[in-house]
Amino acid sequence: MTKRRLLSILLVLAMVFSLAACKKEETKVETEAATTAAVAETTKAPETTAAPEETKPEVKEPLEMIHPEIDQLNVYETAKAKDKEAYVAYGITCQTVSLDDDEAEQYPELNKALEEATEARRKYAKDTLVDLKAQAADIAEYRNEEDYYDYLSSDFSEYILRSDNRVLSIHTSYTDYWGGAHGYYFDFGTAYDVKTGEEIELIDVVADQEGFKAAVKAEIEDYYDKEYHEYIDFETAMAFIDGFFGEGDYAGKSIDMGWTLGYNGVTVYFYPYSLGAYAMGQPTATVTFAEYPGVLNEEYAEIPANYISQIERWVPQYYDIDGDGKNEEITAYVDIENYEDYDAYTDMCIVIDGKENHFGTYTFENYELYLCVIGKKSYIYLNNRAENDYRYLRIYEITDGRVTETGMYQGYPASLGYAAGEMEIDNEVVDYYIDYHAAFVDPDYMLLSSRLDALGTYDALRFCKVGADGIPTGGELYFPVSDITLTVKKTFELTTSDEKGTDTGEPYPVNPGETLTIFATNGEDKIILQAENGDFLLGYINREEWPYRINYYPEDEVLDGIVYAG
């Protein structure tokens, strides 16, 4: 099953009820409109001289979420010294954002802009790979010690901050390492007008330029202890901001500062070294709609009632998480090193307005954090990988500044498949692969992957929405991410079905040599297979003992091609 076909199936299943509800509402509105028009026609007043028409205010479309994908290009290679066992690996990870076929058709200008951005980003990554290759070869050759190993890298990571039918806002985090004492990093954003595909500039978002500069200065002063203030070059910081408001070829651009547009406001990033020493990090200031009224353009202040936004680790975030119109300060992170005081491998810490909340977790370094807002309720989602390669969402509810862990979901923002191939870099052919993932943006439409054991081990997708306790809940069926085809070894019986797994009770024998494709499963005891002729067939799985059984037959006796993870 291809990624596009799978998404189409899920969208159809997800929209069955919503379309029915919409149809009822449309019928009601049309009927009322027709009735009103008929009444107006029968009670029409005598014609008089028409008064000048009043200019009607523009009516905006209601906010609706869009559902982008994040695509990650990966290339990893190794350089070796000629005369000794010295190796230096090098590679790139390059994330970009795309739309699925349906939303690409709905928003063609945005789709075009994203495609152009992807082409430019990947060209830069490929050019960088050439330079990394040369650097890695030089380091490997001139290292004196044997058995030397290092890794050089250039990585772009994308986070979706806003994703609705007005604004798509992307936060890009760049990191690299070329050898030496430390690498380099910086953050910047790109915000698109969804209808036109045009980039939204900082000057479009800021209504009061002087007020904005004063707010940035105040936020940086508040973040850093007073003894550090004398080391911060505030005059230069204000000059950087002026550059975004200026005119000419370089207006809106800077090599020292970036900015992002979130549902809460604007965050400004001053790159390392730009305002002071590298040890200061990346001075950051968030100017929110709530705390600085009038400073930002109110056009961007309207937000959906329900949304998900990825948040940075260790960095204070400012959101209204209880619906009172005021921002709370949220900091979340997993302390990988400090877990001695907690009965788990690591310590998950969520800080709300200075109050720390600690939880034991099993988490490795490649974790992600999300803020999920449902009206006046808010949750932190920790997307982490356990040591057995299973991935989980841990859910933490925030109520009146208190945080409680409400549960866990075996799954993560959906993997939509991958592509692999070869590319030429510096007259050498190298392998690449691209991972496709669903962005995690909409509490009412969450596409999640789970690792299942049903006629083999594989990732499968399920459409979910946030439940009352913050834990995703969804339909009964999971759909495999990629095609899994099994060959019948021995005649046995299944029953006829449909794509939803309805058991008709009618037996359907399958014979040696025939192939069956896994269409869907409930992840426990039911599996829907598709025969070569397209018929849907139902089988029941028993996993109480090994080998597992399908319709009372040992799986490995009747089917070939079943592979379980070790």
Side-chain angles (χ1 to χ4, degrees):
M1 184 181 299
T2 65
K3 177 183 71 168
R4 301 300 184 191
R5 180 183 168 211
L6 180 56
L7 282 174
S8 297
I9 290 172
L10 290 174
L11 283 168
V12 169
L13 294 176
M15 293 173 66
V16 168
F17 296 108
S18 61
L19 285 176
C22 289
K23 186 63 178 175
K24 291 178 182 178
E25 186 62 29
E26 288 170 6
T27 302
K28 177 183 176 184
V29 171
E30 289 169 1
T31 303
E32 289 178 352
T35 303
T36 302
V39 171
E41 184 66 28
T42 57
T43 58
K44 189 182 295 184
E47 293 185 7
T48 58
T49 304
E53 289 188 9
E54 295 182 5
T55 302
K56 295 181 179 179
E58 181 183 353
V59 179
K60 288 186 177 180
E61 288 184 287
L63 278 177
E64 296 178 355
M65 303 301 287
I66 63 173
H67 307 90
E69 301 172 7
I70 296 178
D71 309 329
Q72 179 172 308
L73 170 67
N74 308 273
V75 181
Y76 303 107
E77 293 292 320
T78 302
K80 180 185 178 300
K82 295 178 181 178
D83 303 320
K84 55 181 178 287
E85 296 297 316
Y87 298 88
V88 176
Y90 60 96
I92 59 167
T93 59
C94 178
Q95 290 189 347
T96 52
V97 175
S98 64
L99 301 179
D100 68 25
D101 289 345
D102 291 337
E103 290 188 339
E105 184 176 350
Q106 187 176 1
Y107 305 109
E109 297 303 322
L110 175 62
N111 184 63
K112 180 182 177 182
L114 292 174
E115 287 180 341
E116 291 174 351
T118 295
E119 183 180 358
R121 175 77 56 79
R122 289 183 179 172
K123 182 182 184 303
Y124 176 86
K126 289 173 68 175
D127 292 343
T128 301
L129 198 62
V130 174
D131 296 334
L132 285 171
K133 175 185 176 182
Q135 181 80 346
D138 286 345
I139 293 175
E141 197 63 41
Y142 292 104
R143 279 288 177 180
N144 293 325
E145 63 268 36
E146 295 282 346
D147 299 324
Y148 176 79
Y149 181 84
D150 205 347
Y151 178 67
L152 311 184
S153 62
S154 173
D155 303 323
F156 287 95
S157 298
E158 303 281 60
Y159 311 103
I160 305 298
L161 300 183
R162 296 177 66 139
S163 184
D164 56 62
N165 55 347
R166 297 181 193 170
V167 176
L168 174 64
S169 181
I170 304 165
H171 173 185
T172 302
S173 179
Y174 175 78
T175 61
D176 66 25
Y177 178 68
W178 295 76
H182 57 73
Y184 189 66
Y185 64 96
F186 56 86
D187 292 73
F188 62 95
T190 311
Y192 294 97
D193 182 301
V194 170
K195 292 292 192 299
T196 67
E198 295 179 359
E199 286 192 32
I200 298 169
E201 304 292 349
L202 183 61
I203 197 170
D204 301 324
V205 181
V206 173
D208 177 357
Q209 295 180 14
E210 293 303 316
F212 182 77
K213 288 159 60 177
V216 169
K217 183 174 185 294
E219 290 297 320
I220 293 178
E221 286 180 330
D222 185 58
Y223 181 73
Y224 286 96
D225 293 335
K226 289 185 178 180
E227 58 264 30
Y228 289 100
H229 289 181
E230 62 181 291
Y231 300 107
I232 301 174
D233 188 348
F234 285 110
E235 183 177 348
T236 298
M238 299 304 107
F240 290 156
I241 297 175
D242 281 335
F244 276 88
F245 298 145
E247 298 178 355
D249 293 341
Y250 295 97
K253 300 177 177 64
S254 174
I255 61 171
D256 298 290
M257 172 190 140
W259 67 280
T260 59
L261 173 61
Y263 283 124
N264 57 342
V266 170
T267 299
V268 173
Y269 301 87
F270 295 100
Y271 300 160
Y273 294 120
S274 64
L275 301 186
Y278 182 87
M280 283 177 55
Q282 185 172 237
T284 302
T286 298
V287 180
T288 64
F289 295 106
E291 293 190 25
Y292 295 96
V295 170
L296 302 177
N297 190 334
E298 289 299 315
E299 176 184 352
Y300 301 101
E302 184 180 355
I303 65 174
N306 304 337
Y307 66 88
I308 297 174
S309 186
Q310 189 164 354
I311 59 177
E312 296 179 74
R313 314 171 185 181
W314 297 89
V315 178
Q317 319 277 307
Y318 301 91
Y319 286 89
D320 178 10
I321 58 175
D322 54 14
D324 64 355
K326 300 178 181 178
N327 287 330
E328 284 74 38
E329 182 181 277
I330 310 164
T331 306
Y333 58 88
V334 176
D335 192 340
I336 303 297
E337 303 297 331
N338 179 26
Y339 55 84
E340 295 179 359
D341 297 334
Y342 309 100
D343 187 22
Y345 287 123
T346 52
D347 168 32
M348 170 68 177
C349 183
I350 301 173
V351 186
I352 308 297
D353 287 336
K355 182 180 179 181
E356 295 187 359
N357 301 266
H358 294 273
F359 306 90
T361 66
Y362 295 81
T363 303
F364 293 94
E365 290 192 10
N366 56 340
Y367 68 91
E368 297 169 347
L369 295 166
Y370 298 88
L371 174 66
C372 175
V373 176
I374 311 289
K376 295 185 177 183
K377 298 184 72 172
S378 297
Y379 304 91
I380 297 288
Y381 282 18
L382 167 63
N383 173 29
N384 67 313
R385 186 187 300 275
E387 60 183 349
N388 59 2
D389 285 338
Y390 281 78
R391 294 177 64 175
Y392 298 89
L393 289 173
R394 290 182 178 269
I395 296 95
Y396 305 89
E397 182 175 349
I398 306 172
T399 306
D400 297 329
R402 295 179 293 104
V403 182
T404 55
E405 184 171 1
T406 63
M408 184 170 63
Y409 179 88
Q410 198 269 95
Y412 61 99
S415 169
L416 303 175
Y418 70 94
E422 295 179 336
M423 66 171 64
E424 186 174 314
I425 300 293
D426 195 24
N427 299 317
E428 180 182 350
V429 175
V430 300
D431 295 326
Y432 74 86
Y433 66 94
I434 302 175
D435 292 311
Y436 302 99
H437 293 272
F440 202 39
V441 295
D442 186 355
D444 298 314
Y445 183 87
M446 307 168 75
L447 196 55
L448 302 177
S449 288
S450 296
R451 183 178 175 181
L452 303 180
D453 290 312
L455 293 186
T457 302
Y458 47 85
D459 278 354
L461 305 181
R462 184 167 75 140
F463 163 74
C464 298
K465 63 188 302 183
V466 174
D469 53 3
I471 299 174
T473 181
E476 179 187 13
L477 297 180
Y478 299 81
F479 298 84
V481 173
S482 55
D483 290 334
I484 302 171
T485 301
L486 308 174
T487 303
V488 179
K489 296 167 61 177
K490 177 181 176 181
T491 298
F492 72 105
E493 284 189 349
L494 298 166
T495 55
T496 60
S497 176
D498 58 19
E499 68 273 16
K500 297 181 181 179
T502 305
D503 190 343
T504 66
E506 181 181 344
Y508 190 112
V510 291
N511 301 304
E514 295 178 1
T515 58
L516 301 170
T517 301
I518 299 177
F519 179 76
T521 174
N522 66 356
E524 297 176 0
D525 59 358
K526 183 189 293 186
I527 192 155
I528 306 170
L529 302 165
Q530 195 164 17
E532 295 174 5
N533 63 3
D535 287 346
F536 291 101
L537 309 174
L538 184 64
Y540 291 93
I541 297 172
N542 186 323
R543 296 189 293 176
E544 292 180 358
E545 59 182 35
W546 185 264
Y548 298 155
R549 294 175 176 267
I550 178 169
N551 289 7
Y552 306 107
Y553 296 93
E555 293 177 346
D556 57 353
E557 288 186 12
V558 296
L559 292 170
D560 189 30
I562 298 173
V563 179
Y564 285 101

